[in-house]
Amino acid sequence: ASYLPKNDGLDMSLADPNFFLSFIGFWGTPGSFFYFTPAWWFIWLLIQLYIVYPILWFLIKRLGAPKFLLYSVLISILVRVSVILVGFGISSLLYGAFFITRLPEFAFGMAFAWYYSRNREQVHKLMLSPQAVLGFAFLYVVATTVSITWAGMVIAPFLVAVGIFGVWYGILGKMRENSSYLGKSIRWTGLHSYSIYLVHHPIIAILVPSNALKGTVLSVFATVIGAISLEKIVNIATKLFKNWLKKFSLFQVAAQMILLSLVIYGSAIGVELAIQKNDP
């Protein structure tokens, strides 16, 4: 049970070591995995996959897409079985605290891109065929059904991902993105999906409990505004960082960033102390 998300709201404290782990992007321990906002566990998985991607790219070129995907699935199954057998249950390890347990979904994406880049028209036509869409839909239903068992959970996340990918490809692949308002809306959502994902949970946790209907409606608008604002802030920060690199050495930029981080941290301590004193 200690590995499951706790309903602690948005509790955060500078006295908690998990705050500093999450601040640097590390959500690899049971205590930090769902810290502050459970939706952010995915960031740690992404960081791991970014780090190992050069190795995976070397392997898919060396082995070829079929063998690469097969070995990825087999290794993941062995690790997931081991995690379940030693009694962790549905722990952070199965979610993605260790990237190997979620490698098959990523490997499938790489393998699909491998074939798509070489046979675009053939792959696209195959994915849009009714037989393929029905097959992916059937796979999704079966995988979701077997996920209620421990044995099923060994392979279900991978099969669910493949199934839902195929279904959505079959639906959206036939839609011209600029031909309708729906197509434009879907394209816009896809472009901003990650920023929406990052901001949605804190907003929902704040607004919905007080008033379910009004909070849900407000959450939709607040999430969109928050997502766009986050993208603007990141773009400004990235541009500023690039300008610094043009004017200063890497060491000087690192020193400036450390100084800026200390200022932010000092401000956070001031806010923390003020809250503890005035409204603990």
Side-chain angles (χ1 to χ4, degrees), residues 153-204:
M153 278 301 295
V154 171
I155 192 65
F158 168 61
L159 298 182
V160 166
V162 174
I164 199 64
F165 171 79
V167 170
W168 278 111
Y169 192 106
I171 296 174
L172 302 179
K174 298 178 181 179
M175 184 181 299
R176 293 182 179 274
E177 61 187 32
N178 296 320
S179 62
S180 66
Y181 178 77
L182 179 60
K184 293 178 180 179
S185 299
I186 291 175
R187 174 173 170 76
W188 184 93
T189 303
L191 290 173
H192 302 284
S193 59
Y194 190 56
S195 56
I196 291 173
Y197 167 80
L198 289 176
V199 303
H200 82 280
H201 181 270
I203 292 174
I204 290 174

Side-chain angles (χ1 to χ4, degrees), residues 4-276:
L4 296 175
K6 294 183 176 62
N7 188 22
D8 292 335
L10 298 175
D11 290 344
M12 178 189 292
S13 174
L14 295 176
D16 189 346
N18 291 312
F19 170 84
F20 299 98
L21 291 176
S22 62
F23 184 78
I24 63 174
F26 180 85
W27 280 272
T29 63
S32 64
F33 199 69
F34 294 112
Y35 185 71
F36 180 60
T37 169
W40 290 359
W41 71 266
F42 192 64
I43 297 174
W44 172 235
L45 177 60
L46 283 180
I47 291 174
Q48 293 180 80
L49 291 172
Y50 271 115
I51 293 173
V52 302
Y53 180 77
I55 300 175
L56 298 178
W57 179 241
F58 169 80
L59 290 175
I60 195 173
K61 291 195 295 183
R62 182 72 178 270
L63 300 173
K67 287 184 178 180
F68 170 74
L69 180 58
L70 175 62
Y71 293 156
S72 298
V73 172
L74 291 177
I75 292 173
S76 176
I77 287 176
L78 290 174
V79 175
R80 293 182 71 88
V81 168
S82 301
V83 171
I84 292 174
L85 289 180
V86 298
F88 280 107
I90 304 179
S91 70
S92 56
L93 289 175
L94 293 183
Y95 277 109
F98 181 37
F99 79 94
I100 289 293
T101 61
R102 305 306 298 269
L103 178 60
E105 297 96 304
F106 192 74
F108 169 75
M110 292 181 63
F112 180 85
W114 178 275
Y115 281 113
Y116 188 81
S117 64
R118 287 160 173 75
N119 306 281
R120 179 167 183 168
E121 293 299 328
Q122 294 179 2
V123 172
H124 184 66
K125 185 177 180 180
L126 175 63
M127 294 293 292
L128 294 182
S129 66
Q131 297 88 342
V133 176
L134 288 175
F136 282 119
F138 178 76
L139 178 64
Y140 175 76
V141 172
V142 171
T144 303
T145 302
V146 302
S147 67
I148 65 175
T149 66
W150 282 117
M153 278 301 295
V154 171
I155 192 65
F158 168 61
L159 298 182
V160 166
V162 174
I164 199 64
F165 171 79
V167 170
W168 278 111
Y169 192 106
I171 296 174
L172 302 179
K174 298 178 181 179
M175 184 181 299
R176 293 182 179 274
E177 61 187 32
N178 296 320
S179 62
S180 66
Y181 178 77
L182 179 60
K184 293 178 180 179
S185 299
I186 291 175
R187 174 173 170 76
W188 184 93
T189 303
L191 290 173
H192 302 284
S193 59
Y194 190 56
S195 56
I196 291 173
Y197 167 80
L198 289 176
V199 303
H200 82 280
H201 181 270
I203 292 174
I204 290 174
I206 293 172
L207 296 178
V208 173
S210 58
N211 187 305
L213 179 58
K214 185 186 297 184
T216 300
V217 174
L218 290 175
S219 294
V220 173
F221 292 100
T223 296
V224 172
I225 294 173
I228 299 300
S229 300
L230 176 63
E231 292 178 3
K232 296 292 184 181
I233 293 172
V234 171
N235 290 335
I236 292 173
T238 304
K239 185 176 181 180
L240 183 62
F241 181 72
K242 290 181 178 179
N243 290 335
W244 281 356
L245 285 177
K246 292 179 181 179
K247 296 179 180 180
F248 308 104
S249 67
L250 184 61
F251 175 80
Q252 290 174 317
V253 172
Q256 292 180 54
M257 295 186 68
I258 292 174
L259 180 61
L260 180 60
S261 299
L262 290 175
V263 171
I264 295 174
Y265 180 63
S267 301
I269 291 178
V271 173
E272 177 88 359
L273 294 175
I275 293 174
Q276 288 182 6

